[in-house]
Amino acid sequence: MPFATEIHPVAGDLADSAADLLALPVRAGDDGPVVVTDGAGPDPADLDARLPAPLTELLAHYDVKGGAGQIVEFPADLGRGLVRLVLLGVGAATPRDLRSAGAALARAARGRNRVATTAALLGDGTGDARAGLTAFVEGALLASYTFSLAAEPKGPRPVPVVELAVAGADAGSEEFAEPVRRGRALARATALARDLINTPSAEKDPAWLAARAEEVAGEAGLAVSVWDEADLERGGFGAILAVGRGSVRPPRMVGIRYEPENPDSHVVLVGKGITFDTGGLSLKPNDNMKLMKTDMSGAAVVLGVLSALAELGSRVRVTGLLAIAENSFSGSAQRPGDVLTTYGGRTVEVLNTDAEGRLVMADAMAYAVAELAPDALVDVATLTGAAKLALGTGIGALFATDDTLAGALLDAGERSGEALWRMPLVEEYRDTLNSPVADLANIGTNSAYGHPGATEAALFLREFTGGLPWAHLDIAGPGRSMSEEAELTKGGTGFGTRLLLRWLSA
Ligand code: BES
Ligand code: MN
Ligand code: ZN
């Protein structure tokens, strides 16, 4: 669902704003909280007289420390009736802090009409206030994201307008407009991914997801190709077909191309697009199955990224490949013990039909290597429960065959507040994927290693990278949020969208 919230810089003092909620930033200083009233903030002397008590007393009373995202609200009479005044903690005003502050403000402002703050324009003293402004906008918009199919809307609506007060400056200048645009583009791409992820699988089948991808590509002016089941058959995509065989809703592959002039390099992004994962004949118990409409998060993230590259001025040629199938349970489903032939001819013995993600990814990755020969290959997938178990919902698992690529992604994750942790591709474990009847087995067969699930899956995928620099993001943990936390909302998070966009657009 599109954002109900608009954010724009406006010239002039906070105190003069017609907003019904005003947010004053509070830094967490070494000697206690510091309310920032310089710049476009109101005159502190004037302010004290209009508050229920002097500011310093209010800070003590409410135990304000200024930690990023801390919120304290009270009414104030700024000369035109009562307004809501918010003390908004911004910590040290790093981009991460401002992202949390923006999110907290958007939540506090639900049900209000207009909000004004000076918080977005604080820097952390390291010189790049723009990154902070972008992060604030990103946080505020993503925390206002909602997805509901309810006939009767519940809860207060997101705030329609957030004004970023800019003191004595030209609020329309590029200095402010550009970072705000960037934050908006990053948030919009993420919200697109969230919408697709949150859509129930009754509606979201492979053809539906492919059609959404075509639509999005069309709007972004990108070339797109869709392989239907007949095309997949002709092309030799035996793994995508095998996984999709159990469903009455046939699989698809989608390719989307972003091709700037004189690109610096060519990256292929591959996304796992299982529109619902029952486990197949290796059926999941209901508790594990009920969240599996989100198993196409990787594909949604890749599509979100492609949708925003032009807007963000990326200099990288990017091809997105979405490997889409429904992993269903039926008499026509693939069986444990079946052997399938992947794109390019290598065979896989399917010992567990619930390890389907790596199968569809293998076809798309092999295709990328053979037909697109990119400089780097990055895949995004809700691949293993083991990655979630190892790192929880806060951190994505990163596996990579190239240190420079890994470093760049870790750095981008740091900047976007989507943390990754690099995991080892343990060479000794490789032989666990040996099969007596095929080139590979789709799960580990040597229990001597204790079945490190995320690593086994990554080692399986590595077989299809043709030696290219490759990185794999297992987002099974952070792909979904059970709580409203900073910029996250309940349901699909679109984790990875913003980090990949930061990586691809400097
Ligand atoms: N889609 C699941 C992984 C998953 C689990 C994503 C929890 C999000 C939350 C994947 O297809 C799967 O079923 N993996 C199996 C692999 C096993 C059979 C080797 C798993 O992790 O249990
Ligand atoms: Mn599965
Ligand atoms: Zn799956």
Side-chain angles (χ1 to χ4, degrees):
M1 322 222 155
F3 294 117
T5 305
E6 284 171 33
I7 299 194
H8 38 82
V10 293
D13 273 18
L14 196 62
D16 302 332
S17 165
D20 53 351
L21 187 151
L22 304 176
L24 273 183
V26 184
R27 285 183 190 268
D30 289 338
D31 308 313
V34 182
V35 180
V36 185
T37 50
D38 53 357
D43 180 350
D46 186 42
L47 197 57
D48 264 359
R50 296 176 177 280
L51 296 177
L55 206 46
T56 43
E57 283 179 34
L58 286 170
L59 291 173
H61 178 78
Y62 285 112
D63 197 22
V64 173
K65 299 259 193 308
Q70 188 187 10
I71 291 260
V72 162
E73 296 185 42
F74 40 81
D77 182 356
L78 298 182
R80 50 182 165 78
L82 284 184
V83 293
R84 196 65 65 90
L85 193 80
V86 161
L87 296 177
L88 175 61
V90 296
T94 61
R96 167 182 290 269
D97 290 341
L98 290 174
R99 186 177 295 112
S100 300
L105 179 61
R107 291 220 164 79
R110 284 187 168 226
R112 302 269 147 199
N113 293 315
R114 188 171 280 266
V115 166
T117 185
T118 50
L121 301 160
L122 298 172
D124 61 357
T126 62
D128 191 7
R130 286 172 176 236
L133 178 49
T134 295
F136 186 94
V137 170
E138 196 177 59
L141 286 176
L142 286 176
S144 336
Y145 172 85
T146 54
F147 182 91
S148 172
L149 302 173
E152 291 169 21
K154 294 187 267 300
R157 288 181 50 72
V159 60
V161 179
V162 178
E163 294 177 349
L164 309 175
V166 180
D170 174 6
S173 78
E174 273 303 287
E175 187 190 350
F176 301 107
E178 199 271 337
V180 170
R181 259 203 313 273
R182 207 171 143 79
R184 230 185 255 135
L186 290 163
R188 193 206 40 70
T190 307
L192 164 64
R194 287 184 186 178
D195 279 348
L196 297 171
I197 297 163
N198 290 331
T199 299
S201 301
E203 180 173 9
K204 178 173 63 187
D205 67 10
W208 182 93
L209 186 53
R212 297 290 78 70
E214 281 185 292
E215 240 168 54
V216 168
E219 282 159 19
L222 307 175
V224 58
S225 335
V226 177
W227 286 254
D228 66 15
E229 63 272 37
D231 300 324
L232 290 168
E233 198 76 60
R234 269 191 297 275
F237 293 89
I240 295 178
L241 286 165
V243 170
R245 191 152 291 143
S247 174
V248 292
R249 312 198 284 181
R252 296 284 183 269
M253 188 167 85
V254 176
I256 309 162
R257 297 184 290 282
Y258 170 70
E259 289 167 333
E261 266 177 54
N262 306 315
D264 297 337
S265 61
H266 181 199
V267 167
V268 172
L269 301 178
V270 182
K272 171 176 173 181
I274 298 298
T275 57
F276 193 73
D277 184 9
T278 66
L281 290 183
S282 314
L283 194 65
K284 284 183 186 294
N286 191 66
D287 267 0
N288 295 356
M289 198 194 296
K290 68 189 178 199
L291 304 176
M292 284 301 139
K293 71 173 185 184
T294 62
D295 209 22
M296 35 57 74
S297 293
V301 165
V302 170
L303 184 57
V305 168
L306 265 293
S307 78
L309 287 167
E311 216 175 336
L312 291 168
S314 172
R315 304 268 315 119
V316 182
R317 175 182 163 205
V318 182
T319 307
L321 291 177
L322 318 183
I324 308 174
E326 179 171 54
N327 188 26
S328 205
F329 175 94
S330 78
S332 63
Q334 67 172 336
R335 290 153 288 261
D338 282 356
V339 174
L340 58 77
T341 303
T342 58
Y343 186 91
R346 265 182 304 165
T347 55
V348 177
E349 184 186 13
V350 178
L351 292 172
N352 189 322
T353 63
D354 198 10
E356 85 297 340
R358 66 198 74 182
L359 298 175
V360 299
M361 298 297 277
D363 264 357
M365 288 165 61
Y367 171 82
V369 170
E371 302 298 325
L372 305 172
D375 301 300
L377 187 60
V378 176
D379 79 81
V380 192
T382 47
L383 206 61
T384 64
K388 183 174 182 174
L389 206 59
L391 297 173
T393 57
I395 301 181
L398 169 69
F399 292 86
T401 53
D402 183 278
D403 291 345
T404 310
L405 177 59
L409 291 169
L410 287 167
D411 173 65
E414 195 64 46
R415 286 185 284 132
S416 73
E418 297 166 301
L420 297 175
W421 190 263
R422 188 166 179 191
M423 310 278 267
L425 288 156
V426 184
E427 223 46 66
E428 297 90 293
Y429 298 167
R430 164 60 187 81
D431 75 15
T432 194
L433 296 172
N434 292 344
S435 158
V437 298
D439 292 309
L440 285 168
N442 80 325
I443 57 169
T445 54
N446 187 346
S447 52
Y449 307 132
H451 290 306
T455 308
E456 288 179 347
L459 286 168
F460 181 91
L461 291 183
R462 192 182 63 173
E463 294 298 310
F464 298 89
T465 58
L468 289 176
W470 162 70
H472 160 55
L473 273 55
D474 190 335
I475 60 165
R480 194 172 194 293
S481 173
M482 296 304 223
S483 63
E484 307 275 317
E485 180 64 41
E487 71 272 24
L488 301 184
T489 48
K490 275 186 197 166
T493 58
F495 181 96
T497 308
R498 294 178 293 113
L499 92 81
L500 289 171
L501 281 169
R502 278 185 167 83
W503 171 54
L504 291 166
S505 66

